[in-house]
Amino acid sequence: NPAVSYIWYGFQFPGSGKVSVQLTNAIGQTVKSIDESGYSTGKVIESISVSGFAAGLYFITATFIAANDGHVHIITKKFEVIH
């Protein structure tokens, strides 16, 4: 999925809990990190500006920690920034 200014990402979580989102470049360097808490059951759709990113391949990883039992879910997707 090529992106120029923003990427939209969506994840389905099994319950309420805390989510952290990291964007990394193709060599594994973290270029953006977002920590959020208080997500509820259901689908989360958000956008992130990538206008300052160099062209190339990136990965977005969402780590969800369930509030009720501490179970961890990790989802990774790739995207490409083009200019």
Side-chain angles (χ1 to χ4, degrees), residues 1 3 6-11 44-48 60 77 79:
N1 295 337
Y6 288 88
I7 62 163
W8 290 88
Y9 65 94
F11 301 104
V44 175
I45 299 175
E46 305 240 354
S47 67
I48 296 176
I60 182 169
K77 298 179 180 182
F79 66 95

Side-chain angles (χ1 to χ4, degrees), residues 7-57:
I7 62 163
W8 290 88
Y9 65 94
F11 301 104
Q12 181 84 26
F13 297 115
S16 61
K18 182 178 179 182
V19 176
S20 65
V21 176
Q22 285 192 321
L23 278 69
T24 54
N25 61 20
I27 60 173
Q29 297 170 317
T30 299
V31 294
K32 188 166 188 115
S33 190
I34 303 167
D35 287 324
E36 299 285 343
S37 60
Y39 277 106
S40 300
T41 301
K43 191 168 189 170
V44 175
I45 299 175
E46 305 240 354
S47 67
I48 296 176
S49 172
V50 295
S51 59
F53 289 22
L57 185 64

